[in-house]
Amino acid sequence: KNAKKVTLRITDLNSRVIFIENINNFLQEKFTKQIDISNINLSNGTYIIDIIADDLNISKKFILEK
C-alpha cells in the first residue's frame, strides 16, 4: 500500500479553523488518535472534526461542554 497524507482539522460552525494536524506517511487502515485541545481556549458549543485523505473525507459534529 502507498503511504498517505491524512489531515485532521477541527473547525467551529463559522468554518474558523481551531486545530489542524497533518500526518504524513500514514499506512494503517485503522488507528486511534487522541487530540489534546486543553491548551486551546474553546467555548462550549458545537464543532466539526474533519478527517481528510486522498480518497476519504469524513466530517463529524461534536459538542464541547466544560
Side-chain angles (χ1 to χ4, degrees):
K1 290 189 170 192
N2 293 335
K4 296 181 181 180
K5 175 182 171 186
V6 176
T7 301
L8 305 175
R9 181 177 62 201
I10 297 175
T11 58
D12 62 16
L13 292 181
N14 294 318
S15 299
R16 182 173 53 119
V17 176
I18 306 297
F19 172 90
I20 193 163
E21 180 178 348
N22 293 313
I23 302 170
N24 295 312
N25 299 320
F26 184 80
L27 293 171
Q28 295 173 284
E29 288 193 20
K30 294 183 180 183
F31 77 105
T32 300
K33 174 71 176 170
Q34 185 172 353
I35 300 172
D36 182 6
I37 58 172
S38 62
N39 60 345
I40 304 171
N41 187 20
L42 296 179
S43 302
N44 288 348
T46 303
Y47 296 87
I48 300 169
I49 184 161
D50 298 304
I51 303 169
I52 304 160
D54 296 334
D55 55 354
L56 177 72
N57 191 344
I58 298 172
S59 296
K60 297 289 182 182
K61 288 184 184 178
F62 69 94
I63 298 172
L64 176 64
E65 294 178 347
K66 295 180 185 180

